[in-house]
Amino acid sequence: MQRTWDVERFFGALLVSGLLVFTLYRDIVRYQPPWLRKRRMLLLLGIMVVGTLWLGWLAEQTLLGLSKGFDIEAAGAISYGIPLAAGAMLVALLFDFHTALAFSLVVSLLGGLWQQDAGFAVYVFLGSLTAAFSMIRCKKRTAILWGGIYVLAANLLALVTLLLFHGELFTATAPLGAAMAVACSVAVVATVSLALPILESVFKVTTDISLLELLDLDQPLMKSLMISAPGTYHHSIIVGNLVEACAEDVGVNPLLARVGAYYHDIGKVKMPEYFIENQPMGVSKHEKLTPHMSSMILTSHVKEGVELAAVHKLPEEVIDIIKQHHGNALITYFYEKAKGQPSSTELSEQEYKYPGPKPQTRIAALIMMADAVEAASRVLNDPTPSRISALVDKIINHIFLEGQLDECELTLKDIHVIKSRFTRILTGILHKRVDYPGFEFNREGGDGEGKHKQPPKEDKARQKAARDGQPEGPQPAWTTKDRT
């Protein structure tokens, strides 16, 4: 009879566990569908559920052994030392807070089923929920230590509440339970600190902590960009400022947006002199090349960037941004230049397009717009707020009408916010300063000798063009949208 009862309990527990795990899966389907497209992330989540419970069993057996070794009667308090909150903290770091919340509920119910104690389920849920909250926007590994302290506070509060409920607050269980709560928080910090870098590496997960490490200017790729292509480096920094300013408003991670902006043009370190921001004034290597060769060089920086990112083991999210930050846009200047030349073969527009794909995420689309807007802002001779606003509006509208944003989730409201933030940031960057008394920087020679001379006719034409907000003479398209 006992054997039949054990078999029934086993299958009953198996069925309840399956229902709870299925509930977690349905929550992901409803609220976090991107995880479904990543098989390794689903595998990781399954491992987290099983591994957390296995860790709890191992901790329980260890504490029971220690209590017997020291001849301490602590059977009633052992459960308070089981560090199931470590699982929720890891899920919050590796996935997101919402997934960690659902995970906390499922694991706490499974823990209560395992211990056959509803109070233990409450204890685990409060600790896990606190652990998940403490990891929101975690920027440093020391935040894990603070998370352990918050878990300790939640555990002690739950312990006192449960002991009051059971009428055991002033018994020997209370001090032993408090000691176990402390051991639980220490075990949580130790487990997360040890497991996080391993899981990041094995499952190729990008956390905010690893993103912060990529912002270090001592990173080999950033140092190479700074030295080999200083113009591109400065451009990337400005793009990073633009995307971070509106990242939270459009629902993306500001840290990932800035990292993606910093590395989106790293492919230019291969041939920096062929990009206008790295060329000496008035010198362009494209003058001696055919339009088709020039377009091939410009588009190659995407492929080169992806290869460099793979060699330096950048996160997949950053590599996707490098691939998508130009979409499949047409390099208009060289295409029109090629159309104006006699050719024996029919001109293919596809040969003058970036390889794509179009931006698949909001972050990639945001960086595409910031990249084009920052490049175009360089041709403004008189960057007044109204002209900057008109330029931002025109560039982003062109990207939208070209269909580059068709495959991402940006809304019209998001685009309006992006335009507003871009205009504000660029107005601050491109503001004018008053002339320094005694210094005629804009005069010929720069020493003030020409301050009484009348400007020549070509200077008057240039000044008129500046007042009209147009660059004097025809400008190559790579100085604006196609310059990158």
Side-chain angles (χ1 to χ4, degrees):
M1 189 69 179
Q2 181 65 35
R3 185 183 183 85
T4 303
W5 173 243
D6 288 342
V7 171
E8 288 179 352
R9 288 187 60 185
F10 171 77
F11 281 105
L14 185 64
L15 180 59
V16 173
S17 301
L19 289 173
L20 290 174
V21 172
F22 179 74
T23 302
L24 177 60
Y25 171 75
R26 292 303 304 171
D27 180 84
I28 294 173
V29 171
R30 176 63 180 84
Y31 295 103
Q32 301 296 333
W35 299 130
L36 299 177
R37 295 191 290 269
K38 300 179 179 180
R39 297 283 181 87
R40 70 174 188 277
M41 297 303 291
L42 290 178
L43 175 62
L44 174 59
L45 189 59
I47 291 174
M48 291 300 304
V49 173
V50 176
T52 300
L53 295 173
W54 179 82
L55 174 68
W57 177 83
L58 185 63
E60 182 185 42
Q61 297 304 310
T62 302
L63 292 172
L64 283 173
L66 288 174
S67 64
K68 290 179 181 178
F70 288 100
D71 196 21
I72 299 174
E73 185 59 41
I78 288 295
S79 60
Y80 298 118
I82 299 175
L84 296 184
M89 188 177 288
L90 282 169
V91 171
L93 288 167
L94 298 169
F95 292 83
D96 53 37
F97 173 74
H98 180 90
T99 305
L101 179 61
F103 178 90
S104 300
L105 179 61
V106 169
V107 168
S108 61
L109 291 175
L110 288 173
L113 179 66
W114 162 36
Q115 292 288 322
Q116 299 183 28
D117 183 1
F120 180 72
V122 173
Y123 178 83
V124 172
F125 182 70
L126 290 177
S128 298
L129 194 62
T130 303
F133 268 112
S134 67
M135 291 298 105
I136 295 178
R137 290 286 180 261
C138 175
K139 303 297 184 185
K140 299 179 180 178
R141 296 195 185 271
T142 53
I144 298 174
L145 176 61
W146 283 103
I149 295 174
Y150 296 142
V151 169
L152 173 60
N155 285 349
L156 290 175
L157 178 61
L159 173 65
V160 170
T161 303
L162 291 173
L163 289 177
L164 278 172
F165 179 76
H166 292 296
E168 298 177 350
L169 182 60
F170 300 103
T171 64
T173 305
L176 288 174
M180 292 299 169
V182 172
C184 174
S185 62
V186 172
V188 166
V189 172
T191 301
V192 173
S193 299
L194 179 63
L196 181 61
I198 297 174
L199 294 175
E200 282 180 305
S201 176
V202 173
F203 290 92
K204 298 181 181 179
V205 182
T206 305
T207 65
D208 283 356
I209 296 173
S210 56
L211 287 174
L212 275 171
E213 294 170 352
L214 291 176
L215 289 180
D216 187 353
L217 297 184
D218 284 333
Q219 288 284 340
L221 276 177
M222 290 304 296
K223 291 185 76 171
S224 177
L225 190 68
M226 189 188 309
I227 295 170
S228 302
T232 301
Y233 168 78
H234 181 260
H235 159 76
S236 300
I237 297 298
I238 301 300
V239 171
N241 292 339
L242 290 171
V243 297
E244 190 175 37
C246 52
E248 287 192 357
D249 292 325
V250 299
V252 300
N253 185 345
L255 196 54
L256 179 57
R258 177 174 280 276
V259 171
Y262 277 19
Y263 289 89
H264 79 282
D265 269 344
I266 56 171
K268 292 182 179 180
V269 299
K270 293 288 187 178
M271 292 186 290
E273 67 277 6
Y274 285 92
F275 298 90
I276 189 68
E277 68 267 27
N278 303 310
Q279 294 172 355
M281 293 297 292
V283 178
S284 174
K285 288 184 172 289
H286 291 278
E287 294 175 358
K288 299 180 181 180
L289 300 176
T290 64
H292 185 255
M293 180 59 68
S294 293
S295 68
M296 289 180 62
I297 292 173
L298 290 185
T299 57
S300 69
H301 85 273
V302 175
K303 179 175 177 290
E304 299 286 358
V306 171
E307 291 177 355
L308 281 172
V311 169
H312 289 266
K313 298 181 179 179
L314 294 187
E316 286 188 9
E317 293 87 345
V318 177
I319 295 177
D320 289 340
I321 288 171
I322 296 172
K323 290 179 183 177
Q324 301 166 17
H325 80 276
H326 279 300
N328 60 355
L330 177 68
I331 305 177
T332 310
Y333 176 78
F334 291 117
Y335 178 68
E336 295 296 333
K337 185 177 179 180
K339 284 173 64 177
Q341 294 180 347
S343 176
S344 58
T345 60
E346 186 177 349
L347 193 63
S348 172
E349 189 176 284
Q350 194 63 35
E351 294 179 356
Y352 292 85
K353 285 187 174 184
Y354 285 97
K358 294 178 181 180
Q360 305 294 303
T361 63
R362 294 183 179 189
I363 291 182
L366 189 58
I367 291 176
M368 168 187 273
M369 290 185 281
D371 182 35
V373 165
E374 197 283 332
S377 69
R378 298 293 177 172
V379 302
L380 286 178
N381 293 317
D382 187 16
T384 61
S386 60
R387 288 176 179 172
I388 292 173
S389 178
L391 179 142
V392 170
D393 194 66
K394 185 174 183 180
I395 294 295
I396 294 180
N397 285 347
H398 174 76
I399 292 173
F400 177 76
L401 294 174
E402 199 179 32
Q404 296 298 327
L405 306 181
D406 290 349
E407 299 178 15
C408 66
E409 299 177 351
L410 280 179
T411 64
L412 292 176
K413 180 181 178 181
D414 293 333
I415 293 174
H416 176 73
V417 171
I418 290 168
K419 289 179 179 179
S420 175
R421 294 299 173 90
F422 281 5
T423 300
R424 181 171 61 83
I425 297 297
L426 284 175
T427 301
I429 292 173
L430 302 176
H431 70 281
K432 301 177 85 174
R433 291 185 180 271
V434 299
D435 291 334
Y436 283 78
F439 294 88
E440 300 292 341
F441 295 117
N442 294 316
R443 300 290 184 179
E444 185 178 353
D447 56 2
E449 293 179 359
K451 63 183 178 180
H452 297 300
K453 296 179 182 179
Q454 294 294 326
K457 290 183 179 180
E458 56 269 23
D459 285 349
K460 290 182 178 179
R462 187 178 293 109
Q463 292 169 6
K464 183 179 184 300
R467 287 195 300 272
D468 294 338
Q470 301 292 333
E472 75 279 3
Q475 295 293 311
W478 67 77
T479 62
T480 54
K481 177 177 177 294
D482 294 327
R483 88 204 242 292
T484 56

